[in-house]
């Protein structure tokens, strides 16, 4: 394959930004990925009495002036990101009611870190058929998160807009999408110290009626496309990228002997000049390589010389795709729910495989493009939740991929 592939706006950035639109009357978001999770979040805004208008393909204007308090619809259950409505609803209505959130089948994924922090800030939490949250007034305070949850950090940052005093988040998440949300909140009028670190201090109030914001390029697409180009020995320019957020991805590519060039806006993967080399593929807390980058690199490991340790400390049910790679001819050993070995290089062959989550879906697409023969991937709804027009974009690079309805 050969050519240029355009990176969409980040899924994990746009979802909290849509929730944050509750805090300002009019929000214009640009570089919006056209994915199912975006439609679901916008659907919830409409259900609550807001409205939205697309301006061309990638920009949306959301108006939440006439929003009213309502429990979230049952449809929100399918989307784990629906938990992100809790913070802004509490800030605006002092109430929120939401179903227990669902999402990918990758692990237990409790939301206790959100609820414990809400309580500390003056929220009553009633767990019945749904989660009922209410407050007589949000206090400020210093919250030490018991785990650096991405969405809990984002929820607290949004909730801070309605708190009497500043909210300090200690041991929070610092991912690029958390930073993007903080930049949006600053445009709205909040003051935030510590953006990009695990300690945030948020004070002030929303001071503007409208905010315009461009969503950052999706760093998970970037690593996925890089692993895809490398594993298929292709020459692909991936653009736009924001090099600020890619340190661990670039280290991983270098560790595996991938031939690449990078500048501020483009990551170019070149055909290999050395054999790919096995390397540890281990998740950490951002700015280390985060869990969602791992599956595509695991496919690259099937084409690398030696044994790569795949270690995802976070999720205990994210390794199902490794079993699917085994069906395609990879030499894999699942050691426990968090660790596997992939020993390469091995040729892969096409067969029928299933994906249960977004990132595993991308990994299986990469494996299918490496494999000899035809691969059928089931469960592509998961892929469409996170990647816009993935088949169309890959066809433009020369991939032989069709969608069966
Ligand atoms: N967890 C721990 N220890 C920690 C942090 C988390 O055990 O230190 C557990 C949590 O208890 C929970 C699970 O890990 O069971 C998920 O953690 P977190 O709450 O951080 O995840 P999230 O905020 O629900 C976001 C992304 C996920 C991504 C995780 C981790 C969004 C909308 N979702 O979820 O994205 O995997 O952070 O980086 O931002 C994806 O895009 O494929 C995806 C699943």
């Amino acid at each position: 394959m050969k050519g240029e592939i355009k990176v969409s706006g980040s899924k994990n950035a746009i979802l909290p930004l849509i929730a944050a639109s509750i805090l300002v009357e009019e929000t214009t978001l640009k570089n919006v990925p056209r994915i199912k999770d975006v439609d679901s979040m916008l659907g919830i805004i409409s259900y609550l009495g807001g409205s939205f208008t697309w301006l061309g393909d990638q920009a949306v204007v959301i108006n939440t002036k006439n929003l009213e308090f309502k429990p979230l619809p049952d449809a929100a259950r399918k989307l784990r990101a629906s938990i992100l409505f809790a913070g802004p609803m509490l800030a605006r209505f002092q109430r929120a009611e939401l179903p227990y959130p669902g999402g990918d089948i990758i692990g237990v994924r409790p939301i206790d870190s959100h609820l414990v922090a809400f309580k500390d800030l003056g929220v009553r939490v009633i767990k019945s058929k749904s989660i009922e949250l209410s407050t007589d007034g949000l206090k400020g305070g210093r919250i030490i998160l018991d785990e650096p949850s991405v969405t809990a950090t984002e929820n607290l940052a949004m909730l801070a807009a309605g708190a009497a005093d500043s909210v300090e988040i200690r041991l929070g998440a610092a991912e690029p999408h958390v930073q993007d949300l903080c930049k949006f909140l600053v445009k709205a009028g909040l003051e935030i110290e510590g953006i990009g670190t695990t300690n945030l201090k948020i004070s002030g109030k929303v001071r503007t009626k409208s905010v315009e914001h461009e969503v950052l390029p999706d760093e998970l697409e970037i690593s996925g496309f890089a692993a895809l180009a490398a594993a298929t020995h292709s020459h692909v320019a991936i653009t736009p990228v924001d090099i600020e957020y890619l340190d661990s991805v670039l280290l991983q590519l270098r560790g595996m002997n991938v031939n690449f060039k990078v500048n501020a806006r483009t990551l170019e993967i070149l055909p290999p000049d050395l054999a790919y080399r096995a390397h540890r593929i281990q998740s950490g807390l951002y700015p280390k390589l985060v869990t969602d980058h791992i599956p595509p690199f695991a496919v690259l490991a099937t084409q690398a010389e030696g044994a790569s340790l795949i270690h995802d400390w976070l999720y205990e049910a994210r390794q199902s795709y490794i079993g699917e790679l085994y069906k395609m001819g990879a030499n894999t050993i699942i050691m426990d729910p968090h660790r596997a070995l992939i020993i390469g290089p091995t040729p892969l062959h096409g067969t029928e495989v299933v994906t249960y989550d977004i990132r595993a879906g991308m990994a299986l697409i990469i494996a299918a493009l490496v494999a000899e023969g035809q691969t059928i991937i089931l469960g592509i709804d998961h892929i469409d939740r996170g990647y816009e027009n993935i088949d169309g974009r890959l066809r433009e690079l020369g991939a032989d991929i069709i969608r069966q309805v």
Side-chain angles (χ1 to χ4, degrees), residues 11-12 15 80-81 84 104 106 108-110 114 147-152 154 175 177 220 285 290-292 313-315 318 358-359:
K11 167 183 91 77
N12 289 343
L15 303 180
R80 179 164 167 97
L84 289 166
D104 284 330
I106 50 186
V108 180
R109 306 185 79 188
H114 301 240
E147 46 186 40
S149 163
V150 168
T151 47
E154 292 166 344
E175 266 77 348
H177 25 285
L220 298 169
L285 292 174
V290 302
T291 167
D292 303 322
W313 67 277
L314 188 64
Y315 293 122
R318 200 172 219 183
I358 303 177
R359 309 302 162 196

Side-chain angles (χ1 to χ4, degrees), residues 149-181:
S149 163
V150 168
T151 47
T153 307
E154 292 166 344
N155 245 337
L156 294 175
M158 293 187 280
L159 177 147
D165 284 314
S166 60
V167 173
E168 204 177 336
I169 308 170
R170 312 284 299 181
L171 302 181
E175 266 77 348
H177 25 285
V178 179
Q179 298 183 38
D180 212 34
L181 173 69

Side-chain angles (χ1 to χ4, degrees), residues 90 93-95 121-124 133-139:
L90 281 165
F93 300 110
Q94 292 73 53
R95 288 172 74 187
L121 294 171
V123 177
R124 278 182 299 276
L133 307 170
S134 59
T135 179
D136 299 327
L138 294 167
K139 303 186 281 185

Side-chain angles (χ1 to χ4, degrees), residues 193-208:
E193 290 168 29
I195 297 178
T197 75
T198 55
N199 295 332
L200 296 171
K201 186 168 180 193
I202 305 154
S203 44
K205 294 274 173 264
V206 169
R207 293 183 202 286
T208 168

Side-chain angles (χ1 to χ4, degrees), residues 2-16:
K2 194 170 182 357
E4 182 177 293
I5 190 158
K6 185 176 173 304
V7 177
S8 300
S10 158
K11 167 183 91 77
N12 289 343
I14 183 69
L15 303 180

